[in-house]
Amino acid sequence: MSAIIAARNICQNRHFQISREIIFTGDQVIDAYATGNSEGLKPCQKDLVFSFDRNIKRCSLYTIDIIRHLTDINFLGSEAFLKIENPNYYRVMITVKEVDFLNPEFLNVYGYVSNLEDKVRKDDFYIEFSFLDYTTGINRTRLIADGYIFKLNDQDEKNTWRA
């Protein structure tokens, strides 16, 4: 308690003078805040765009790897759809014919995918693969409603996602 009283007495005995030269108007303070806010946000936005672009490319490469693996073991006709949960978390839905999906050999694909997911997981990147079986076709409207709005476009070897 005596320390608090002593500190209070020290503060009361001090006289602070404020120079008129360092007083700013309210508009100047608001302008400085807005400038600092926008200038400070630019590097963050650049980093976010760079990270997002890099992670989308990673999604493409890993998805193509899985589709090639499926083709190598004679599971043909796969398409891939991408859902972006956030800039670091992605979900990919790969379509497989029902007859291939029910094939006991398809269980080995889950092991391959699980190993790939574990290998590529980083602090700034997480990808999760799922499979969707079909008989006659994919209901694209339902996929879009579930958030899978991008489809892997492998025409002309561009391997990009398109909406």
Side-chain angles (χ1 to χ4, degrees):
M1 183 71 168
S2 62
I4 294 172
I5 293 171
R8 183 173 169 228
N9 289 339
I10 290 171
C11 289
Q12 286 178 346
N13 292 334
R14 299 270 181 199
H15 298 285
F16 295 100
Q17 292 182 346
I18 298 175
S19 171
R20 298 257 180 229
E21 295 173 15
I22 60 169
I23 294 178
F24 299 101
T25 66
D27 288 342
Q28 289 172 320
V29 172
I30 291 170
D31 289 342
Y33 173 79
T35 301
N37 196 22
S38 69
E39 291 300 317
L41 196 56
K42 285 178 186 175
C44 182
Q45 287 173 331
K46 284 182 184 178
D47 289 346
L48 183 63
V49 168
F50 175 76
S51 175
F52 188 69
D53 185 51
R54 183 183 65 226
N55 288 342
I56 292 288
K57 288 177 182 173
R58 287 177 178 172
C59 285
S60 297
L61 293 174
Y62 300 137
T63 303
I64 290 164
D65 182 42
I66 291 174
I67 291 175
R68 283 188 183 143
H69 179 73
L70 289 170
T71 304
D72 290 345
I73 57 176
N74 295 321
F75 296 137
L76 306 174
S78 297
E79 295 179 306
F81 300 90
L82 176 67
K83 177 180 183 178
I84 302 170
E85 296 288 347
N86 66 49
N88 298 328
Y89 180 36
Y90 303 84
R91 291 182 187 215
V92 177
M93 180 74 67
I94 299 175
T95 62
V96 181
K97 293 177 187 171
E98 184 178 36
V99 77
D100 293 336
F101 189 76
L102 297 175
N103 185 334
E105 295 295 318
F106 194 77
L107 291 175
N108 296 330
V109 174
Y110 284 107
Y112 182 83
V113 169
S114 179
N115 288 337
L116 179 68
E117 287 174 346
D118 291 342
K119 184 175 81 173
V120 302
R121 183 176 297 133
K122 303 208 181 313
D123 288 341
D124 65 340
F125 180 73
Y126 181 80
I127 189 168
E128 184 177 280
F129 292 95
S130 301
F131 295 95
L132 175 66
D133 66 317
Y134 67 94
T135 51
T136 57
I138 301 299
N139 187 335
R140 185 81 168 108
T141 305
R142 286 189 180 172
L143 281 174
I144 291 171
D146 283 342
Y148 292 92
I149 59 173
F150 298 102
K151 181 178 186 264
L152 184 65
N153 180 21
D154 55 2
Q155 297 174 355
D156 303 325
E157 297 297 318
K158 291 180 183 176
N159 300 325
T160 56
W161 298 95
R162 64 181 166 86

